Amino acid sequence: MATKQFKAESKRLLNLMINSIYTNKEIFLRELISNASDAIDKSYYRSLVDENVSFNKEDFYIRIAADKENKTLTITDTGIGMTKDELENNLGTIAKSGSFTFKNENEAKEGVDIIGQFGVGFYSAFMVSDLVTVKSRALNSDEAYKWESKGVEGYTIEPCEKNEVGTEITLKIKESTDDEKYDEFLDEYKIRSLIKKYSDFIKYPIKMMVKKSKLKEGSKDEHEDYFEDETLNSMVPIWRKNKNELKPEDYNQFYMDKHFGYEKPLKVIHSSVEGVVSYNTLLFIPARAPFDFYTKEFEKGLELYSNGVLIMEKCGDLLPDYFSFVQGLVDSADLSLNISRELLQHDRQLKFIAKKIKEKIKSELLLMQKNDREKYDEFYKNFGKQLKYGVYADFGSNKEVLQDLLMFYSSTEKKLVSLDEYVSRMKEDQKFIYYATGENIDKIEKLPQTEVVKDKGYEILYFTDEVDEFAIKMLMKYKEKEFKSVSSKDLGFESDDKESEKETKENKELFDFMKETLNGKVKEVRASNRLKTHPVCLANGGELSIDMEKVLNTMPNNQNVKADKILEINTNHKMFKSIKDAFENDKDKLKMLSNVLYNQALMIEGLPVDDPVEFANDVCSLIK
Ligand code: ADP
Ligand code: MG
């Protein structure tokens, strides 16, 4: 019998498969099962359009049989089957439906990547098998044909016996090697787990005769083996079920079965969307960040199904980075396996779904923030940072999406509040959204810079995460209200500003002397408009705040940036009298005082003292 040649590009793909550059060989089973399921779909369709074809649900199934002795794995379906021509055309050529074209070797290498992620079809059988036999009898045909191939050399086709309509594919499983245990594909346990993993939700039953054990009749302890036909897949995916049929436990169980996490999820989002692109999603917000969440090992993504068939375990394109904590899956009939062969990144449907998912997650989070604040607090504790990074990242291009989800600790409410809540209760004369930065809430509470803002009765947002101020700088405004650090030069209190300006002018010589003494460490020394009881503080002269300076200088290859610092003196404080006194009578003492006050202000900011020994000596001399 003549051996026929594969078409050129088929040969190339086959070569890839046979040489198994791709390590995830187990997906061959998914591919063959999904073809079987497609074939049954076609029969079903025919029964709808052709009254001579009947569709009896019980007659349609897929069967798996493993023969360990002969090392064969057989996948049988009762689908539409293939005629001689179809065997030739469909299996001899790489599926016409696919857009797999290998123009040159380089692209073929990229192709390996595609194989890793998407459906690769029938030829994947050659990853685990060195002889593939396909017997098929097409619907409404009396003849059956056998297609057989050992790989690249080609294939043969000849008539054969087959009583039922459908296709039977037998894989002679390769011999195991040191690296590769092909034998395991003949293990019942392995087959079961592969079906659970990839094909659980195939609409038709996937059956297998499985070995069971029971007590021997008449015996109390002797067991005997027997075989029983079992359906290995659950057929109806939870996400296709009606929400009303499902209880929280069902979702939680599914969540655990899927190994998404050990604890039940904080929030389940289950939706079914019909429209331009139809799809089902089942999304979870975990109760806790996965242990590797803030490392670069963490990989975001949702499972992607096409009509119940898993085509990708982690589709990163479905989630924006700032929602990378979301887990779950998407199933769409509009993403056929044909489409899956293309690079999904460029897929319009997928982009559309990703956009909708993003909007859905946002709206669900907003609802939670509004209606279930305790839960939202819990969520925010785990993932708030991610949202804030999201505002900052990509030059702020996502700030519109995220700003309403942000929360910060409030000086007046003593809990996390949203920006919307803050703005809605701003005082009539209040111009800015005030914030203060520091290591923790207690430390911020004590910051001298907060005194005057609190005194006015204004609410202050406390920023304790390093990213906070960076994110807010990116935001700039919320609902037309600008953000203002309590340490910034101009706080927007006009009458106070006039007062302190006057004081600064009056004491110009004194302040200039202090500035000289500090020798470039501060940009300016001036009378404060923000201090009530504290003697000194630092204020920001420019855009870069002292806290941002701290953060930036902890980064690798830091540029040693410096914020413009202003030393502010409380001219109403009684120590100011001593300063004036020293200015008149004892310039050396004023030098010491200047240094001590400056260092004191540094300490309040949580910055290290410039020269601790000198500082200690200065303090001692002043005590004398
Ligand atoms: P795809 O499924 O994406 O079309 P495959 O390489 O998996 O690509 O399959 C190629 C073609 O072979 C299918 O389109 C189908 O026409 C045919 N085929 C494969 N398996 C079967 C089967 N079990 N029953 C009927 N036709 C099949
Ligand atoms: Mg296929």
Side-chain angles (χ1 to χ4, degrees):
M1 192 186 2
T3 300
K4 304 189 177 191
Q5 295 295 310
F6 285 106
K7 296 267 160 57
E9 72 270 24
S10 302
K11 222 167 167 169
R12 256 164 153 160
L13 180 58
L14 257 174
N15 246 322
L16 276 175
M17 293 298 165
I18 293 161
N19 299 321
S20 298
I21 308 165
Y22 179 49
T23 50
N24 199 15
K25 300 190 171 68
E26 62 186 33
I27 55 123
F28 79 93
L29 191 59
R30 168 192 82 182
E31 293 300 317
L32 298 182
I33 288 175
S34 104
N35 284 349
S37 169
D38 289 349
I40 301 176
D41 275 347
K42 285 175 193 157
S43 285
Y44 176 56
Y45 178 74
R46 285 281 282 278
S47 74
L48 296 176
V49 295
D50 182 346
E51 58 191 25
N52 296 321
V53 178
S54 64
F55 186 89
N56 195 347
K57 221 170 161 254
E58 284 73 57
D59 297 341
F60 292 95
Y61 58 87
I62 297 159
R63 178 173 291 288
I64 314 278
D67 179 342
K68 281 195 174 173
E69 232 159 276
N70 296 308
K71 296 205 176 195
T72 60
L73 185 68
T74 306
I75 296 113
T76 314
D77 66 67
T78 56
I80 197 159
M82 282 176 274
T83 62
K84 186 181 180 213
D85 282 351
E86 282 166 343
L87 278 169
E88 176 112 12
N89 290 329
N90 298 343
L91 306 184
T93 332
I94 182 165
K96 290 138 279 159
S97 54
S99 62
F100 234 94
T101 42
F102 292 103
K103 292 204 193 87
N104 57 49
E105 288 309 310
N106 280 338
E107 274 182 48
K109 277 195 198 95
E110 274 170 33
V112 178
D113 234 90
I114 303 172
I115 292 161
Q117 299 178 0
F118 314 119
V120 283
F122 173 75
Y123 289 160
S124 62
F126 287 96
M127 293 197 291
V128 299
S129 167
D130 39 28
L131 174 66
V132 178
T133 310
V134 181
K135 287 182 177 177
S136 196
R137 185 173 144 193
L139 186 68
N140 299 331
S141 165
D142 309 326
E143 302 165 334
Y145 286 89
K146 183 170 100 176
W147 178 101
E148 199 162 58
S149 171
K150 287 183 176 163
V152 270
E153 295 103 87
Y155 57 91
T156 56
I157 293 184
E158 61 184 309
C160 72
E161 281 297 309
K162 190 177 187 312
N163 295 327
E164 283 88 32
V165 170
T167 303
E168 176 194 289
I169 300 179
T170 304
L171 311 180
K172 178 102 175 86
I173 298 295
K174 287 183 188 176
E175 290 297 328
S176 288
T177 64
D178 287 347
D179 306 327
E180 213 56 71
K181 302 277 166 275
Y182 295 103
D183 281 343
E184 67 176 2
F185 296 123
L186 298 166
D187 277 350
E188 183 190 308
Y189 177 80
K190 181 71 180 179
I191 295 169
R192 264 177 194 281
S193 70
L194 288 180
I195 288 172
K196 265 275 167 239
K197 182 168 174 190
Y198 294 113
S199 316
D200 192 40
F201 309 115
I202 290 284
K203 298 188 282 285
Y204 310 103
I206 303 169
K207 298 182 184 194
M208 185 162 74
M209 281 300 218
V210 297
K211 199 154 122 185
K212 301 221 162 151
S213 165
K214 65 175 177 196
L215 273 182
K216 245 187 184 158
E217 243 181 54
S219 161
K220 283 205 174 71
D221 47 11
E222 252 187 297
H223 283 80
E224 64 179 356
D225 289 343
Y226 70 103
F227 283 88
E228 195 179 274
D229 212 9
E230 201 179 301
T231 297
L232 305 179
N233 56 329
S234 61
M235 293 191 278
V236 183
I238 181 171
W239 60 88
R240 292 233 188 121
K241 288 185 184 161
N242 198 317
K243 268 201 250 188
N244 312 333
E245 293 168 36
L246 294 161
K247 294 190 285 294
E249 300 90 86
D250 295 326
Y251 290 117
N252 294 345
Q253 187 56 48
F254 177 77
Y255 186 80
M256 314 259 186
D257 284 350
K258 276 282 184 191
H259 303 294
F260 283 140
Y262 301 107
E263 282 174 85
K264 57 181 188 166
L266 190 70
K267 171 93 192 152
V268 179
I269 305 169
H270 182 187
S271 53
S272 173
V273 179
E274 305 272 327
V276 205
V277 180
S278 299
Y279 61 92
N280 291 296
T281 58
L282 182 53
L283 307 175
F284 300 97
I285 296 173
R288 229 169 280 275
F291 71 95
D292 60 349
F293 187 61
Y294 288 102
T295 71
K296 55 177 186 303
E297 272 72 49
F298 179 80
E299 199 189 333
K300 65 165 182 168
L302 300 176
E303 285 186 354
L304 183 62
Y305 289 80
S306 151
N307 228 344
V309 181
L310 178 65
I311 54 177
M312 201 170 167
E313 274 180 276
K314 263 198 195 250
C315 182
D317 293 331
L318 283 168
L319 287 176
D321 282 343
Y322 49 83
F323 289 153
S324 62
F325 47 82
V326 176
Q327 299 164 304
L329 54 91
V330 177
D331 185 3
S332 172
D334 295 330
L335 294 170
S336 72
L337 280 181
N338 296 341
I339 285 173
S340 75
R341 286 161 173 265
E342 294 162 19
L343 273 171
L344 273 169
Q345 273 156 304
H346 305 301
D347 191 80
R348 269 181 46 226
Q349 270 99 338
L350 194 80
K351 281 209 172 114
F352 179 85
I353 295 174
K355 182 169 162 275
K356 291 283 169 197
I357 284 179
K358 176 183 86 182
E359 288 163 3
K360 180 73 183 167
I361 297 170
K362 180 186 167 178
S363 67
E364 288 288 332
L365 286 174
L366 278 178
L367 278 178
M368 198 202 285
Q369 190 195 51
K370 217 169 133 214
N371 303 328
D372 194 349
R373 184 51 74 88
E374 228 170 277
K375 205 177 224 183
Y376 193 77
D377 280 344
E378 186 65 26
F379 157 75
Y380 203 76
K381 205 172 75 198
N382 280 296
F383 302 112
K385 229 185 227 172
Q386 189 69 7
L387 301 182
K388 292 184 279 193
Y389 278 116
V391 170
Y392 178 68
D394 300 325
F395 306 101
S397 57
N398 299 305
K399 60 187 186 185
E400 296 290 325
V401 184
L402 296 171
Q403 57 184 1
D404 289 319
L405 296 172
L406 300 183
M407 298 214 296
F408 298 98
Y409 185 89
S410 151
S411 62
T412 55
E413 308 304 300
K414 308 286 177 211
K415 60 174 191 190
L416 293 173
V417 301
S418 71
L419 296 175
D420 188 47
E421 287 160 353
Y422 182 104
V423 168
S424 68
R425 57 177 169 249
M426 272 171 75
K427 295 258 147 63
E428 225 167 276
D429 58 344
Q430 184 178 345
K431 277 198 238 151
F432 300 114
I433 300 174
Y434 291 102
Y435 68 86
T437 52
E439 218 175 296
N440 57 44
I441 288 161
D442 284 347
K443 285 197 178 163
I444 299 177
E445 279 287 353
K446 292 180 191 142
L447 274 183
Q449 290 93 329
T450 60
E451 280 189 314
V452 69
V453 184
K454 279 184 184 161
D455 219 52
K456 299 248 179 230
Y458 298 160
E459 185 174 358
I460 304 173
L461 299 176
Y462 289 1
F463 289 0
T464 49
D465 271 339
E466 287 182 351
V467 64
D468 290 350
E469 201 174 10
F470 289 89
I472 240 60
K473 289 261 153 144
M474 203 52 99
L475 220 51
M476 286 186 319
K477 282 180 188 177
Y478 179 81
K479 297 211 165 149
E480 297 305 310
K481 303 289 181 196
E482 250 178 80
F483 291 93
K484 186 67 104 186
S485 162
V486 295
S487 305
S488 70
K489 199 173 166 190
D490 158 39
L491 284 175
F493 308 148
E494 274 155 30
S495 57
D496 296 7
D497 286 353
K498 275 198 195 102
E499 178 68 27
S500 61
E501 256 164 52
K502 201 176 120 230
E503 292 270 357
T504 304
K505 264 196 201 114
E506 277 170 16
N507 296 292
K508 188 170 183 316
E509 271 170 71
L510 162 61
F511 289 151
D512 282 350
F513 180 87
M514 290 178 80
K515 185 186 158 188
E516 284 311 292
T517 307
L518 291 172
N519 195 15
K521 288 172 192 153
V522 297
K523 218 183 122 209
E524 192 186 342
V525 178
R526 67 174 199 188
S528 180
N529 63 354
R530 77 191 85 217
L531 294 173
K532 293 278 154 186
T533 58
H534 287 76
V536 282
C537 73
L538 289 177
N540 290 327
E543 267 306 293
L544 186 74
S545 76
I546 294 164
D547 271 282
M548 292 169 98
E549 170 194 307
K550 272 190 264 177
V551 175
L552 291 174
N553 290 336
T554 56
M555 309 235 180
N557 337 315
N558 76 73
Q559 311 284 307
N560 203 10
V561 292
K562 287 269 175 255
D564 283 342
K565 300 184 187 75
I566 297 172
L567 182 65
E568 289 197 351
I569 309 286
N570 183 352
T571 49
N572 297 320
H573 197 280
K574 51 182 186 302
M575 64 86 207
F576 190 59
K577 223 179 124 298
S578 323
I579 292 181
K580 273 182 145 167
D581 213 50
F583 183 60
E584 301 296 333
N585 308 314
D586 187 349
K587 290 270 176 6
D588 281 340
K589 187 178 176 194
L590 182 56
K591 277 185 187 163
M592 263 189 268
L593 279 171
S594 302
N595 273 321
V596 168
L597 286 172
Y598 170 68
N599 280 311
Q600 193 175 325
L602 283 180
M603 281 193 280
I604 292 168
E605 288 300 319
L607 289 168
V609 167
D610 271 349
D611 182 342
V613 176
E614 189 192 34
F615 175 67
N617 288 339
D618 284 352
V619 172
C620 262
S621 328
L622 287 169
I623 291 171
K624 270 198 298 211

